[in-house]
Amino acid sequence: MVRTKTGIQGIDKALDGGFPEGNIVLISGGAGTGKSTLCTQFLINGASLFGERGLYISTEQTREELHRAADKFGWKLKELEDKSLIKIIYFDITGGDDFLNRVDTIVEEFKPKRIIIDSMTTLTDSLMISGIGEKEAFSMVQVAESVNPIPRTEQIMAKSILYRLIKELKKYKVTTLLTSELLEEYKGLSADGISEFICDGVIVLHHLTIGTKGFGNIQIRKMRYADHSHALFEVMIGERGITVGEETTVIT
Ligand SMILES: Nc1ncnc2c1ncn2[C@@H]1O[C@H](COP(=O)(O)OP(=O)(O)OP(=O)(O)O)[C@@H](O)[C@H]1O
Ligand SMILES: [Mg+2]
């Protein structure tokens, strides 16, 4: 099976060579755990080490903000954009169906080998507000009503949106990372509590503070089609971005 390497040694090793090509992978973690950094580094390495085109769909940070972050790590984002190896698209609160159509057009034209959606959480929230998936959700509510007197409409809507989005993304057969916010006290693996089941893989980033020092760790919780490690690894965000260290037993 063809693998899409992250270019981050510890992660590729834990993945037994990289992401299985075409997998849709959720990158879950609390605020500031390095989700966007990991995603940017995945595209930078893809372009500069492997000559693979990467598309960054951002719903939170603007292109300028992503550039500012990349500059701090010494990454030549602008150069790779100029070479048409990376494309950044910033979506302000998206307009329903329009999102999928626009992504379709961009993917067809740009032909990326890697796609980022950062963040999945704001995207599904905005799609929900704009009413995409309402039709599907309605029929699902009807089914739910016949078996359950209290339909959980919102959850069903979120589920139908996610199914549709992930089904669309799978069509491209492009390795895709989706970020999801994880609240500290929440026991699930994503903000919506559903996407961890629909996605092909889940990577969780944790942050913990001991004294005045911040530490992080990373764990591959799920990766279809890969004989991956289930261990926790130390993760550091340093001057040149993310590095993954030793196996650790610290559970957050
Ligand atoms: N140049 C740098 N050197 C070292 N650490 C950095 C540097 N830039 C950022 N960081 C660390 O990375 C963290 C932010 O990483 P990032 O934006 O990737 O997180 P995130 O999970 O995407 O956050 P959010 O939930 O806000 O989207 C910062 O909180 C900081 O601790
Ligand atoms: Mg982020």
Side-chain angles (χ1 to χ4, degrees), residues 30-37 56 60-61 66 118-119 179 181:
T33 49
K35 302 180 295 294
S36 302
T37 308
Y56 198 119
E60 282 175 6
Q61 285 166 292
L66 289 170
D118 183 19
S119 92
T179 63
E181 287 149 29

Side-chain angles (χ1 to χ4, degrees), residues 181-244:
E181 287 149 29
L182 212 52
L183 300 174
E184 310 277 322
E185 69 276 11
Y186 183 63
K187 290 281 173 269
L189 294 180
S190 71
D192 52 68
I194 303 159
S195 31
E196 59 263 46
F197 298 101
I198 312 174
C199 288
D200 297 309
V202 180
I203 291 186
V204 181
L205 289 162
H206 292 287
H207 184 267
L208 68 159
T209 312
I210 299 173
T212 52
K213 285 202 158 204
F215 297 87
N217 55 45
I218 187 168
Q219 186 179 30
I220 302 161
R221 292 291 297 263
K222 163 179 172 181
M223 194 59 58
R224 287 180 185 146
Y225 327 117
D227 181 13
H228 65 91
S229 166
H230 291 259
L232 272 171
F233 293 91
E234 289 172 358
V235 56
M236 285 80 65
I237 305 180
E239 273 178 19
R240 290 287 169 268
I242 287 183
T243 47
V244 172

Side-chain angles (χ1 to χ4, degrees), residues 73-139:
F73 295 121
W75 296 335
K76 309 265 182 260
L77 190 50
K78 176 79 172 59
E79 237 170 65
L80 296 167
E81 281 184 302
D82 290 343
K83 286 186 187 160
S84 287
L85 280 165
I86 290 182
K87 194 187 226 5
I88 299 171
I89 305 287
Y90 172 70
F91 275 95
D92 206 350
I93 297 296
T94 53
D97 259 322
D98 193 34
F99 175 82
L100 291 175
N101 290 334
R102 278 182 69 187
V103 171
D104 246 359
T105 312
I106 297 161
V107 171
E108 247 170 58
E109 280 172 13
F110 187 60
K111 300 192 173 30
K113 295 284 280 180
R114 301 166 182 234
I115 299 175
I116 303 295
I117 298 185
D118 183 19
S119 92
M120 180 74 167
T121 313
T122 34
L123 177 66
T124 42
D125 284 354
S126 70
L127 289 180
M128 201 135 132
I129 290 162
S130 64
I132 188 184
E134 227 166 329
K135 232 189 296 166
E136 293 93 329
F138 182 67
S139 58

